[in-house]
């Protein structure tokens, strides 16, 4: 039997629970807390994986996790204003690089690269600079 999908609806007509999920967690002051992530459009989402292998492939082998059913994960995230649960996300941003080595000490005095660069930021500095050049 084939499931019908509406043309305007990006999700299937019937939603099935994902079953027990591997949910990434982080240590907190009173135990572990589920990690929340951002969707590509910036919305907050809870994330669960259908296998430990999928979790490790996406977040690394050292990522701690707990097992939760999809409805329990939704109930956990709802008080935080998170209504979306993403199962087995494929696209993730790379982990931040380790901090770069400190920049070499700069010589005091004139900097040839900073000639003509405004050092003051903000709207007031922009207005002042424009009135200087226009007036």
């Amino acid at each position: 039997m084939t499931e019908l999908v509406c043309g305007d609806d990006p999700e299937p007509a019937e939603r099935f629970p994902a079953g027990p999920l591997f949910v990434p967690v982080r240590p907190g002051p009173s135990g572990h807390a589920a990690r929340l992530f951002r969707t590509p459009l910036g919305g907050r989402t809870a994330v669960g994986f259908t296998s430990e292998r999928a979790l490790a492939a996406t977040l690394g082998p050292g990522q701690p996790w707990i097992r939760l059913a999809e409805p329990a994960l939704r109930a956990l995230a709802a008080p935080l204003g998170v209504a979306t649960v993403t199962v087995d996300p494929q696209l993730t941003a790379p982990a931040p690089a380790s901090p770069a080595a400190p920049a070499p000490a700069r010589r005091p005095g004139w900097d040839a690269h900073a000639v003509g660069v405004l050092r003051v930021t903000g709207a007031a500095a922009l207005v002042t600079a424009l009135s200087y050049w226009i007036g």
Side-chain angles (χ1 to χ4, degrees):
M1 181 183 236
T2 343
E3 184 177 328
L4 297 175
V5 178
C6 299
D8 294 336
D9 189 6
E11 294 190 39
E14 293 182 41
R15 293 179 59 186
F16 296 99
L21 298 171
F22 293 84
V23 177
V25 295
R26 60 179 171 75
S30 43
H32 285 86
R35 288 183 61 189
L36 298 178
F37 294 85
R38 297 265 177 198
T39 65
L41 297 177
R44 294 171 67 198
T45 184
V47 172
F49 294 87
T50 54
S51 71
E52 187 177 357
R53 179 182 296 167
L55 182 139
T58 304
L59 299 175
Q63 173 62 55
W65 53 267
I66 59 171
R67 291 291 301 249
L68 284 177
E70 185 255 345
L73 181 56
R74 283 187 187 281
L76 183 70
L80 302 172
V82 178
T84 306
V85 172
T86 304
V87 177
D88 287 336
Q90 297 296 313
L91 301 174
T92 59
S98 60
R106 300 182 81 193
R107 289 189 340 212
W110 184 68
D111 184 2
H113 297 289
V115 173
V117 176
L118 291 175
R119 292 290 182 183
V120 181
T121 60
L126 180 60
V127 170
T128 303
L130 289 174
S131 64
Y132 174 76
W133 290 104
I134 294 173

